[in-house]
């Protein structure tokens, strides 16, 4: 949305509660049943692991490691680079509208 008086593009405010509600309502119309967003998370993890993506990559992509554990993981064992995670995602993530 462009504000003519300011000449700057305004970024809409993300409202997570409204977004969740709209996703659930749309899914109920399509699936004809209640839908939990957890189902998407579970599908994504199951799909990625079935495609051979290591659990450490899947957990990182899903933000599963608590910050304290993640810090220890990075400092002592494994340090995923942004590009490495991106490549795993692009190669193996499900493509719903391809």
């Amino acid at each position: 949305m462009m504000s003519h008086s300011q000449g700057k593009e305004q970024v809409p405010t993300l409202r997570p509660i409204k977004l969740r509600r709209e996703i659930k309502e749309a899914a109920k119309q399509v699936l004809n049943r209640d839908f939990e967003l957890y189902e998407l998370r579970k599908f994504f993890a199951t799909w990625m692991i079935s495609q051979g993506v290591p659990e450490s990559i899947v957990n990182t992509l899903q933000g599963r490691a608590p910050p304290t554990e993640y810090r220890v993981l990075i400092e002592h064992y494994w340090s995923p680079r942004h590009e490495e995670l991106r490549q795993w995602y692009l190669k193996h993530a499900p493509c719903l509208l391809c």
Side-chain angles (χ1 to χ4, degrees):
M1 178 183 299
M2 182 67 83
S3 172
H4 294 289
S5 61
Q6 297 173 350
K8 289 183 176 180
E9 187 174 334
Q10 294 180 352
V11 178
T13 304
L14 179 63
R15 297 183 185 139
I17 293 172
K18 182 180 179 188
L19 179 61
R20 284 186 188 100
R21 184 177 61 242
E22 289 176 358
I23 290 171
K24 284 183 173 192
E25 288 172 3
K28 187 166 187 168
Q29 289 176 0
V30 172
L31 301 173
N32 202 27
R33 67 174 177 83
D34 286 336
F35 176 79
E36 295 298 323
L37 292 176
Y38 173 76
E39 293 177 66
L40 290 175
R41 184 179 181 96
K42 182 178 177 183
F43 169 79
F44 179 81
T46 302
W47 176 269
M48 295 294 276
I49 289 171
S50 76
Q51 298 300 303
V53 178
E55 284 187 46
S56 59
I57 297 288
V58 175
N59 288 337
T60 302
L61 288 171
Q62 290 195 316
R64 279 204 181 114
T68 54
E69 289 180 28
Y70 192 70
R71 182 183 54 76
V72 170
L73 181 69
I74 287 174
E75 289 176 1
H76 299 287
Y77 301 104
W78 176 67
S79 180
R81 295 184 334 260
H82 180 267
E83 185 58 28
E84 178 185 4
L85 292 174
R86 182 177 178 275
Q87 290 305 317
W88 277 104
Y89 179 83
L90 292 175
K91 183 175 180 183
H92 299 287
C95 186
L96 302 176
L97 301 173
C98 299

